[in-house]
């Protein structure tokens, strides 16, 4: 299971990802403050996340096999990719923690 994380230097990646995927924002008072744009690419989950507080990771919801994950990342703007699903991917789930 390979997972890759790349820090995005400009906001251009976020704007491009908004046009191509779904937007998830998580910001209740005591939760992490994160917004992510996610989609699938082949058998992997991909996303661009802006983390203002807390940490975030992506989870590939894999069909008929264990889910795969990206690494946990903290403050900043990140391009995240999960590992590959063995059979197929059903979707991408954004997980946060404080």
């Amino acid at each position: 299971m390979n997972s890759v994380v790349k820090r995005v230097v400009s906001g251009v990646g976020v704007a491009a990802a908004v046009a191509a995927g779904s937007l998830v924002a998580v910001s209740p008072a005591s939760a992490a403050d994160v917004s992510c744009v996610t989609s699938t690419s082949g058998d992997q989950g991909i996303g661009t996340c802006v983390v203002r507080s807390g940490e975030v990771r992506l989870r590939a919801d894999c069909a008929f096999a264990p889910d795969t994950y990206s690494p946990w990342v903290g403050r900043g703007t990140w391009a995240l990719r999960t590992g590959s699903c063995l059979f197929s991917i059903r979707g991408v789930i954004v997980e946060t923690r404080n």
Side-chain angles (χ1 to χ4, degrees):
M1 285 185 235
N2 246 351
S3 59
V4 177
V5 63
K6 180 178 98 178
R7 190 155 198 159
V8 177
V9 179
S10 70
V12 175
V14 174
V18 169
S22 60
L23 179 62
V24 176
V26 179
S27 59
S30 63
D33 188 5
V34 171
S35 58
C36 293
V37 177
T38 64
S39 63
T40 59
S41 176
D43 59 357
Q44 295 181 324
I46 59 172
T48 301
C49 295
V50 177
V51 182
R52 289 171 285 289
S53 68
E55 294 180 308
V56 68
R57 75 175 176 184
L58 301 181
R59 183 175 91 201
D61 182 17
C62 297
F64 313 112
D67 292 348
T68 62
Y69 301 84
S70 72
W72 285 103
V73 294
R75 285 182 173 238
T77 301
W78 301 91
L80 299 171
R81 181 176 299 270
T82 67
S84 297
C85 290
L86 186 58
F87 298 105
S88 65
I89 185 170
R90 291 186 287 229
V92 181
I93 298 167
V94 176
E95 297 183 343
T96 62
R97 66 183 182 190
N98 289 334

